[in-house]
Amino acid sequence: MKKKKKKKNTTGEKQTELKRYFGARAVLGDQRPRQRQRQFHRSTWMTIPKNTWPRFSRPGISMTLLESRDGLQYFTFEHSRDYQQIQFKFLDSVESMDPNNIVALLQMNPYHIDSLLQLSDVCRIQEDQEMARDLIERALYSFECAFHPVCSLTSGTSRLDYLRPENRAFYLAGYKHMMFLERRGCPRTALEYCRLILSLDPDSDPLCMLLLIDFLSLRSREYNFLLRLYQDWEVHRNLSQLPNFAFSVALSHFHLSQEDQTESEERERLKHKADLLLQDALIMFPGVLMPLLDLCTVQPDAAVSSHDFFGPRSQQTPALAELVSLYVGRTHTLWREGGVLLWLEECVREVLRRVDAKDPLVEDCQNKRKQRYQSAPLNIHRHVILSEIKEATSTLPLEVTTQSVMGFDPLPPLDSVVSYTRPERLRFATAHGGQDPTYWRNVLWSDETKNRTVCP
């Protein structure tokens, strides 16, 4: 008889990682006896239900298997008629410009997904990180209780179409939970969530997790995993044309060359490979150097700062500037580690020597920068918005910054697959003296919410 494969417990990994960094007492000290959680009957691996949560009753979300093809299973979430009515009330609450209306809706429907996501953003802006994180975990628990019996998030064969609005909230809840984990000092667990989100739709990658997975791999010291991913995906995804992979793969080789258990010959090989990769990355993306040094509070010497290659000539297209700013803003702390800046300095000097010697790669890369990166796709803009990295958000194009951004569904795809629509109703502006309802959409992303009273 074939032995049943045990499910991977991501929550357990998170607890183990926290215990390793902070000690068991710091992690388990505030947990109450297990018997207080008897109201929860379902075993879950993404989150652990809390006895402080409202009693769970199915909110009207279910998951359907659409088809199985080529060893892959395609699922979608569905909303019941009752849940659709709650969704319409939620949209009315958003247009009311008062977050307390969302709180009231959530009190009546404590596991309504979009309300949990939106209120989590409000709490986070108000610097209530614990409540913001708790609301996201509650949303994930609600989703997991709706999973189809054959859906396996650990197999890598389950797919979820981002074009369907009912599915997008699961992506966003997973992304927000992942970022909370990273900020709490659990990069290894965050990396698992990153891999999960990427596996749901690896071809389209709607949240552009390829712009983040290298950072989480470096943070969790999973250098070999990053190199395997790069080797396996480079042929069909051209990962080397993304600034984050060009620099992070070089950085992974460097760290592997510094490990004590690495033999001397292998260490030299890895260091040589790291040097070449970093030099090529600097030649392809010279616009990375100066902002990186600036965020690392490093003053470049005169030979570097006065050279044209890293000066105005390194200006890039707006699309490339968006990628560069995202990478620098997210990973500059990794370049401050011991020995890394000295290695960077060595490679910069060698790059300048190659530039002055008219290395053909320099002109080739310059032509590639002109031909490529003409415009960034929607998933990159969506990723930048979710990242909230100011260096990157300031580079967003006008067509993005001038439109309303909904926290529970940022930049929805233009070709969304809509299964139900909101009934026709009087516009909020007509009934309320001309106030533009889109104003509220921006309020949830602004500092104005800090002055509002929200009591989840």
Side-chain angles (χ1 to χ4, degrees):
M1 188 174 180
K2 192 173 182 180
K3 189 176 181 182
K4 188 176 180 181
K5 187 176 180 181
K6 188 177 180 182
K7 266 191 176 181
K8 191 174 183 180
N9 192 332
T10 307
T11 304
E13 283 188 6
K14 179 178 72 173
Q15 295 289 343
T16 302
E17 191 167 7
L18 285 170
K19 290 176 192 176
R20 185 166 66 248
Y21 286 124
F22 306 112
R25 236 180 127 178
V27 177
L28 303 175
D30 61 345
Q31 291 189 5
R32 300 184 182 183
R34 179 68 65 177
Q35 57 266 27
R36 294 291 299 277
Q37 299 182 11
R38 284 180 179 172
Q39 58 168 308
F40 301 100
H41 301 290
R42 186 177 180 118
S43 175
T44 56
W45 68 273
M46 297 182 74
T47 59
I48 296 178
K50 300 177 182 177
N51 58 352
T52 56
W53 288 357
R55 181 174 295 275
F56 181 78
S57 60
R58 296 191 177 277
I61 298 179
S62 60
M63 178 184 270
T64 299
L65 174 62
L66 296 177
E67 63 173 330
S68 296
R69 186 176 72 249
D70 301 328
L72 302 176
Q73 296 172 316
Y74 296 83
F75 298 91
T76 186
F77 287 103
E78 293 182 341
H79 294 169
S80 68
R81 286 189 175 273
D82 289 341
Y83 193 93
Q84 292 176 21
Q85 297 302 315
I86 299 172
Q87 187 72 8
F88 299 149
K89 291 178 182 178
F90 165 75
L91 296 174
D92 291 341
S93 299
V94 169
E95 291 184 352
S96 73
M97 299 181 293
D98 186 354
N100 287 292
N101 288 337
I102 300 180
V103 175
L105 178 65
L106 206 53
Q107 288 175 340
M108 296 295 295
N109 309 277
Y111 290 90
H112 178 250
I113 303 296
D114 284 345
S115 295
L116 291 167
L117 295 179
Q118 196 71 74
L119 196 58
S120 175
D121 281 344
V122 175
C123 292
R124 185 173 48 79
I125 291 171
Q126 293 182 334
E127 299 181 358
D128 189 348
Q129 301 296 323
E130 183 177 354
M131 176 58 70
R133 184 172 62 247
D134 187 81
L135 293 170
I136 294 299
E137 291 179 0
R138 200 196 302 179
L140 283 175
Y141 178 77
S142 184
F143 268 126
E144 192 168 4
C145 288
F147 279 179
H148 192 279
V150 301
C151 178
S152 171
L153 296 182
T154 58
S155 65
T157 59
S158 298
R159 298 290 184 264
L160 210 60
D161 192 351
Y162 195 81
L163 297 180
R164 297 177 179 269
E166 297 89 339
N167 295 339
R168 296 204 280 264
F170 182 73
Y171 280 85
L172 295 170
Y175 182 95
K176 294 174 186 292
H177 186 58
M178 171 190 65
M179 296 313 297
F180 279 126
L181 288 169
E182 193 276 327
R183 294 183 189 118
R184 291 182 70 193
C186 300
R188 183 66 182 82
T189 312
L191 176 61
E192 291 302 317
Y193 273 89
C194 184
R195 295 173 63 180
L196 163 63
I197 298 171
L198 180 60
S199 73
L200 296 176
D201 191 351
D203 294 329
S204 300
D205 193 10
L207 297 190
C208 227
M209 304 310 292
L210 286 178
L211 297 179
L212 174 64
I213 196 168
D214 62 300
F215 169 70
L216 294 176
S217 299
L218 290 170
R219 283 270 286 116
S220 54
R221 303 184 188 279
E222 293 291 331
Y223 308 124
N224 286 313
F225 162 74
L226 180 59
L227 298 184
R228 286 196 306 271
L229 176 66
Y230 178 77
Q231 183 178 2
D232 294 342
W233 287 37
E234 166 62 10
V235 175
H236 65 284
R237 297 297 289 269
N238 292 321
L239 298 184
S240 59
Q241 300 306 299
L242 294 174
N244 59 306
F245 267 94
F247 283 89
S248 293
V249 168
L251 193 54
S252 292
H253 278 90
F254 175 78
H255 282 303
L256 287 172
S257 73
Q258 303 301 301
E259 292 183 346
D260 294 336
Q261 64 269 28
T262 306
E263 295 184 3
S264 58
E265 289 186 6
E266 178 67 8
R267 184 177 301 182
E268 291 179 6
R269 187 192 69 82
L270 288 168
K271 177 61 166 57
H272 179 67
K273 181 70 171 177
D275 292 346
L276 294 178
L277 287 170
L278 182 56
Q279 291 169 30
D280 290 349
L282 288 166
I283 291 173
M284 183 63 196
F285 305 107
V288 169
L289 181 63
M290 290 306 181
L292 178 62
L293 294 179
D294 183 55
L295 288 179
C296 291
T297 63
V298 173
Q299 181 68 35
D301 60 31
V304 176
S305 57
S306 62
H307 202 287
D308 289 342
F309 185 71
F310 293 114
R313 277 184 55 192
S314 67
Q315 290 180 354
Q316 51 239 326
T317 63
L320 181 54
E322 190 174 344
L323 291 173
V324 167
S325 299
L326 179 70
Y327 175 73
V328 172
R330 173 174 282 152
T331 63
H332 64 273
T333 55
L334 302 178
W335 292 87
R336 292 176 180 171
E337 296 179 6
V340 175
L341 281 174
L342 291 176
W343 169 59
L344 175 61
E345 181 182 358
E346 295 173 3
C347 291
V348 167
R349 292 185 182 278
E350 181 60 22
V351 166
L352 291 181
R353 187 197 65 77
R354 292 172 63 180
V355 170
D356 294 337
K358 307 296 183 183
D359 189 320
L361 180 63
V362 176
E363 184 177 357
D364 180 54
C365 290
Q366 186 177 7
N367 292 332
K368 287 180 179 178
R369 289 196 301 274
K370 291 179 180 179
Q371 296 169 3
R372 303 171 183 176
Y373 314 105
Q374 294 303 311
S375 62
L378 194 62
N379 61 339
I380 289 181
H381 298 325
R382 190 181 295 124
H383 180 95
V384 169
I385 290 173
L386 289 173
S387 73
E388 299 183 354
I389 296 173
K390 61 181 181 180
E391 291 84 3
T393 54
S394 63
T395 64
L396 287 168
L398 282 176
E399 62 265 24
V400 174
T401 57
T402 55
Q403 67 174 287
S404 300
V405 175
M406 305 290 283
F408 62 92
D409 189 8
L411 300 183
L414 301 178
D415 53 347
S416 294
V417 179
V418 179
S419 58
Y420 66 92
T421 57
R422 190 179 180 189
E424 291 293 332
R425 59 187 295 274
L426 291 175
R427 295 293 296 167
F428 184 88
T430 304
H432 291 78
Q435 174 64 60
D436 182 2
T438 59
Y439 166 78
W440 166 240
R441 302 176 185 179
N442 295 322
V443 165
L444 284 180
W445 286 88
S446 70
D447 290 338
E448 293 185 36
T449 49
K450 293 182 179 179
N451 300 321
R452 296 182 181 273
T453 302
V454 180
C455 304

